[in-house]
Structure formats: structure tokens, C-alpha cells
């Protein structure tokens, strides 16, 4: 088989399915760049909060107003750095203020249009692993390899809590986190614009019983087999 040149690999799935950390590790192993599209929606949410624009006004914002918030992405060593008003942002994007509001912003057509061009530009040269909710359906419909990651809700809640430093969460903590994740899933799946769904032709990987290394190995092996590399 002739190896595919400069492929694009998309990884979509619900919240807490391990997409971003997995996509980053897969990209590292393949020598590709990683695009975390959720970070862009988070950056736009962060920019609105920084600008002091209340959530009650978000539905009326135009694409031009959102563009003026100046969210950008620049290629870094292995992934992309995200900037708001010229300042690199990273940990700010994971705050509870941003996390609870991002799904609302992401449901609005002008915010999706604002970020579309940035994402496509990031994929212009291929050799990309892009993760999010609509990578394989809307942003890179021509992607060479599409993957849809799923995992049981309670396992996703446990992983989220572990990421937040809660090593041994109680049942009540897992339940509360599962409710928050299910709410975000509902928002992402039921919205009118670019709802979360399994892209046509996507390879389904259930990570409930896989540890992190096993997930990464499974995806790298799939990509190498399908691209004719390795
Ligand atoms: O992946 P992450 O949890 O950082 O994404 C944050 C939110 O951004 C998601 O809940 C979703 O509402 C939105 N999102 C999206 N489309 C993407 C990536 C993220 O709507 N491609």
C-alpha cells in the first residue's frame, strides 16, 4: 500500500472520553501536531468573561464581535498555542467558570463560524491529530482517518476527577461529576449546529476498559495500519 501523505486524523467523542490527552500522546508518537479544538471554544468563553460580557448577552453576539476578541492559534513545538488578545492561555481554560459556560457558547452559530477558519488553517499541512466534537463531521470531513471514542459515563466521571487531582473519589463525587458531564453531553448532542455524533466511517473505540497506554497503542496501531506507515 502506498503510504498516505500528510494525513489528518480526527478524534471525536463525548466529554471525559480521554480525547485530548490521548490525541496529544498519539500525535507525539506519530510525529504529528495535535489540535485541541475544545481549547478554542474554551478560549472564546474565557475571552468573553475577561471582556466582562454577561452570558445573557452571548446569544446576540455577531461573528464580527466574536472575532474582535482576538482568539488565535499558532503552531508550537508539537501542538498549537492558544492566544487571547496576544497572551498565551492554558490553565485559565480549565477553570470551573469556563467549563460550566463553554457548551452554551459552543451551541451558537457565530462562535462555530469564528473558530472554523482557525481550525482549518491549523490542518492545512496535514500531519495532524485533531480532537473535539465535530472534527470528523464538520471541520475536517475529508479526514483520512476518523475515530470516535466512547466510555461509560461513570468511568468518564472518575477520569475527570482524577485529572482534577481527586485520586480516590467517593461515590457521591462520582455521581455529581457524572451529572455535570451528562448535562454537557446533552447540550453537545442536542444542539442545532454541529451536534456531537459519530462521523460516517469513523472507527469506534470504547475506552472503558483500556488504560491510557492501551488507548494510545490501539490508535497508533490503527493509524499506522491505515496510513501504510510503520
Ligand atoms: O473537549 P473540551 O471538554 O475541552 O470541550 C469543551 C466544550 O467545547 C465541549 O463541551 C463542547 O461544548 C465544545 N466543543 C465543541 N466542538 C468541538 C470541541 C469542543 O462544541 N470541536
Amino acid at each position: 500500500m502506498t503510504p498516505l501523505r500528510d494525513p489528518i486524523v480526527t478524534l471525536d467523542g463525548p466529554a471525559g472520553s480521554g480525547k485530548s490527552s490521548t490525541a496529544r500522546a498519539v500525535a507525539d508518537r506519530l510525529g504529528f501536531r495535535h489540535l485541541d479544538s475544545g481549547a478554542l471554544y474554551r478560549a472564546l468563553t474565557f475571552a468573553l468573561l475577561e471582556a466582562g460580557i454577561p452570558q445573557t448577552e452571548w446569544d446576540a453576539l455577531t461573528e464580527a464581535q466574536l472575532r474582535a476578541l482576538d482568539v488565535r492559534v499558532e503552531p508550537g513545538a508539537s501542538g498549537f498555542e492558544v492566544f487571547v488578545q496576544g497572551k498565551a492561555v492554558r490553565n485559565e481554560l480549565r477553570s470551573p467558570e469556563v467549563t460550566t459556560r463553554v457548551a452554551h457558547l459552543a451551541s451558537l452559530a457565530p462562535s462555530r463560524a469564528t473558530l472554523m477558519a482557525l481550525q482549518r488553517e491549523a490542518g492545512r499541512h496535514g500531519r495532524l491529530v485533531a480532537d473535539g466534537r465535530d472534527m470528523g463531521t464538520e471541520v475536517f470531513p475529508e479526514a483520512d482517518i476518523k475515530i470516535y471514542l466512547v466510555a461509560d459515563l461513570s468511568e468518564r466521571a472518575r477520569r475527570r476527577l482524577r485529572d482534577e487531582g481527586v485520586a480516590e473519589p467517593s461515590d457521591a463525587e462520582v455521581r455529581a461529576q457524572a451529572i455535570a458531564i451528562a448535562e454537557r453531553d446533552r447540550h453537545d448532542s442536542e444542539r442545532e449546529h454541529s451536534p456531537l455524533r459519530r462521523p460516517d466511517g469513523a472507527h469506534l473505540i470504547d475506552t472503558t476498559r483500556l488504560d491510557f497506554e492501551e488507548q494510545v497503542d490501539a490508535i497508533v496501531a490503527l493509524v499506522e495500519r491505515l496510513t501504510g506507515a510503520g
Side-chain angles (χ1 to χ4, degrees):
M1 162 162 111
T2 315
L4 271 180
R5 291 195 54 203
D6 306 332
I8 290 185
V9 179
T10 61
L11 229 67
D12 289 301
S17 55
K19 293 179 307 292
S20 292
S21 44
T22 305
R24 187 171 312 117
V26 167
D28 275 355
R29 287 262 298 271
L30 295 169
F32 291 5
R33 276 191 208 285
H34 168 226
L35 176 69
D36 173 359
S37 62
L40 296 180
Y41 287 93
R42 288 172 180 272
L44 203 52
T45 306
F46 173 75
L48 285 165
L49 295 174
E50 283 287 286
I53 302 173
Q55 196 174 348
T56 46
E57 292 176 16
W58 293 4
D59 288 34
L61 292 169
T62 64
E63 210 179 310
Q65 286 170 316
L66 291 170
R67 270 190 219 289
L69 294 165
D70 194 23
V71 171
R72 288 172 199 272
V73 276
E74 299 281 342
S78 62
F80 290 87
E81 277 290 358
V82 183
F83 296 85
V84 173
Q85 306 273 342
K87 202 174 133 253
V89 285
R90 195 170 292 173
N91 295 339
E92 300 87 327
L93 305 183
R94 306 271 140 206
S95 74
E97 291 73 25
V98 170
T99 301
T100 52
R101 291 170 177 84
V102 59
H104 173 205
L105 179 77
S107 69
L108 307 173
S111 72
R112 306 210 71 85
T114 300
L115 298 178
M116 179 64 93
L118 299 185
Q119 297 170 84
R120 293 227 168 115
E121 173 60 26
R124 205 152 60 91
H125 303 293
R127 300 181 67 79
L128 185 79
V129 180
D131 82 88
R133 304 293 186 290
D134 63 342
M135 296 297 95
T137 52
E138 301 286 339
V139 180
F140 301 114
E142 309 296 328
D144 304 281
I145 299 169
K146 299 181 184 183
I147 295 167
Y148 194 69
L149 279 190
V150 293
D152 284 357
L153 182 60
S154 58
E155 176 58 23
R156 290 190 279 134
R158 248 179 241 111
R159 288 179 190 169
R160 254 300 132 86
L161 287 163
R162 230 176 287 137
D163 287 351
E164 289 170 5
V166 189
E168 299 206 2
S170 65
D171 288 352
E173 283 174 311
V174 172
R175 234 175 292 125
Q177 182 66 245
I179 290 169
I181 290 179
E183 176 59 18
R184 205 136 66 84
D185 285 352
R186 194 184 59 73
H187 235 291
D188 292 344
S189 307
E190 293 179 359
R191 68 187 177 206
E192 181 187 354
H193 307 289
S194 306
L196 169 67
R197 62 178 176 82
R198 180 179 170 181
D200 291 339
H203 299 265
L204 181 73
I205 300 185
D206 185 336
T207 69
T208 308
R209 281 172 193 83
L210 300 181
D211 68 23
F212 183 71
E213 285 308 321
E214 290 169 333
Q215 275 180 57
V216 174
D217 285 349
I219 296 171
V220 169
L222 178 71
V223 173
E224 287 181 341
R225 182 164 62 77
L226 296 173
T227 57

